[in-house]
Amino acid sequence: MPLASIPSPSQGVWYLGPIPIRAYALCIVLGVIVAVWISERRWRARGGTPGTIVDIAVPAVIFGLIGGRLYHVITDWQLYFGDRAPNEPYEALFIWNGGLGIWGAIALGGVGVWLACRKRGLSLGAVADTVAPGIAFAQAIGRWGNYFNQELFGSPTTLPWGLEIEPGKAGTIEGYTGLYHPTFLYESLWNVALGFLLIWVGKRFTLRHGRLFALYVAGYTLGRFWIEGLRVDPVGGVDHAVHFLGLRINQWTALVLFVGALVYFWATRNKETEEIVVSPSADPSGGVTAAEQAPPAGEEDSAGSERNDDEDKAPDGEGDGKAQAVPEEEKS
């Protein structure tokens, strides 16, 4: 019997009269709020118009939730369809029961961001670089929703931080009453570290045109690959996970995205086109004029806070609402 362990919560939903308050949903909402707050401050520090990230977040979240659920249902279709499905087909819509694939959320959420940026005339790469750390922190918070749902745990372990899981939960071993790896916690801690690393890299180096976002993708998938290998929940199946060439579905997804992110990071190393961070139709009375420009990424503070008044003023004759080309010696 282990001397220490992490107990699972006795419930993941509370009722306010007839209204259910679900921990999973609360974690998702809190993650979104934190991501928007951090990203909004970072965007203003780049010279962007206040409120832009809040506006962009609306379609991004809507598209992201749809994409995340679609990925889950497609890769775990046997949970809802087929003779052995433990759930009814209509339960595929019950997002509050858990089941959001981050791969689908980022992909379709990115479509929402692209549409919003196109409408405002903003550079997608600039927005992506700005929100990258916030997304990592949001994922770190969202993973705790899996803790309340007692899902996304790993293989059996005797470590003192092993997780207690109720017998009979999907992925548990029949007859086994010991502890499991808390993979939700591993991924949460990994994402927190990744978020701070991205902030530091953004301050230390001049990364533009989506290159910081590419580092986020590479960093997240690197951690997700090995954490996914610890999991025992039946992704893609009913009572066991589907494997291809010895790897789980999500491991293959992580591997492909990791390589793709590194290829993009390398391919755009010499890209010097200007980035628009203030909409050409922005109202100058909003506190940020169209003549303001994005400073080098290194001028952002650790949380993406605004620059002081002196830094907010663009040099006379140089502002045009676009980021200036980075000198050759300043690129990384």
Side-chain angles (χ1 to χ4, degrees):
M1 186 70 180
L3 297 177
S5 64
I6 300 176
S8 285
S10 58
Q11 62 185 98
V13 57
W14 301 268
Y15 288 87
L16 187 62
I19 303 175
I21 307 298
R22 302 181 185 277
Y24 185 86
L26 290 177
C27 291
I28 297 297
V29 171
L30 180 58
V32 170
I33 292 174
V34 170
V36 171
W37 177 74
I38 292 175
S39 301
E40 179 68 24
R41 291 172 64 85
R42 287 172 56 81
W43 185 250
R44 293 201 303 267
R46 293 189 68 151
T49 306
T52 298
I53 297 299
V54 176
D55 293 338
I56 291 177
V58 176
V61 170
I62 295 175
F63 277 71
L65 289 174
I66 296 174
R69 192 59 176 179
L70 282 175
Y71 181 89
H72 164 73
V73 174
I74 290 173
T75 55
D76 285 308
W77 65 271
Q78 295 185 65
L79 296 178
Y80 307 98
F81 308 99
D83 297 336
R84 301 181 60 210
N87 304 307
E88 295 295 333
Y90 63 83
E91 292 184 81
L93 301 176
F94 293 180
I95 191 174
W96 52 84
N97 287 336
L100 284 177
I102 185 60
W103 321 111
I106 294 296
L108 209 55
V111 173
V113 173
W114 174 74
L115 291 174
C117 289
R118 184 179 182 183
K119 179 180 179 180
R120 292 164 174 77
L122 302 174
S123 296
L124 177 61
V127 174
D129 289 335
T130 299
V131 304
I135 293 177
F137 289 124
Q139 288 178 256
I141 297 172
R143 273 301 177 218
W144 284 87
N146 302 125
Y147 167 66
F148 282 95
N149 282 358
Q150 295 194 45
E151 57 189 4
L152 273 65
F153 50 88
S155 56
T157 181
T158 57
L159 293 171
W161 55 82
L163 180 65
E164 299 176 11
I165 296 293
E166 294 178 7
K169 288 286 185 179
T172 56
I173 299 175
E174 186 176 356
Y176 177 74
T177 58
L179 306 177
Y180 296 84
H181 277 288
T183 49
F184 84 92
L185 179 59
Y186 298 162
E187 187 172 331
S188 181
L189 294 175
W190 180 274
N191 288 331
V192 169
L194 177 61
F196 282 114
L197 177 63
L198 291 172
I199 290 175
W200 178 82
V201 170
K203 291 176 59 181
R204 179 66 178 82
F205 304 98
T206 303
L207 298 179
R208 299 292 187 189
H209 305 291
R211 299 184 77 213
L212 189 67
F213 188 84
L215 287 185
Y216 151 73
V217 174
Y220 174 73
T221 53
L222 179 64
R224 181 64 182 269
F225 182 86
W226 72 266
I227 293 172
E228 190 72 24
L230 293 174
R231 287 172 56 180
V232 293
D233 51 315
V235 174
V238 175
D239 50 16
H240 66 280
V242 174
H243 288 75
F244 178 71
L245 297 180
L247 297 177
R248 293 162 64 96
I249 294 175
N250 287 332
Q251 284 183 295
W252 279 110
T253 304
L255 186 60
V256 170
L257 291 178
F258 176 78
V259 174
L262 292 185
V263 170
Y264 178 88
F265 185 82
W266 176 258
T268 56
R269 66 192 184 280
N270 294 324
K271 191 172 183 180
E272 298 180 356
T273 54
E274 297 174 338
E275 290 185 306
I276 303 174
V277 298
V278 175
S279 174
S281 60
D283 182 4
S285 65
V288 177
T289 68
E292 290 185 335
Q293 58 192 10
E299 293 186 15
E300 298 176 7
D301 65 17
S302 60
S305 62
E306 298 99 330
R307 294 164 292 155
N308 60 37
D309 293 338
D310 291 334
E311 292 174 327
D312 282 341
K313 299 176 181 178
D316 292 339
E318 293 182 9
D320 61 355
K322 300 180 180 180
Q324 299 298 313
V326 180
E328 186 67 27
E329 62 271 18
E330 291 182 7
K331 294 186 302 175
S332 62

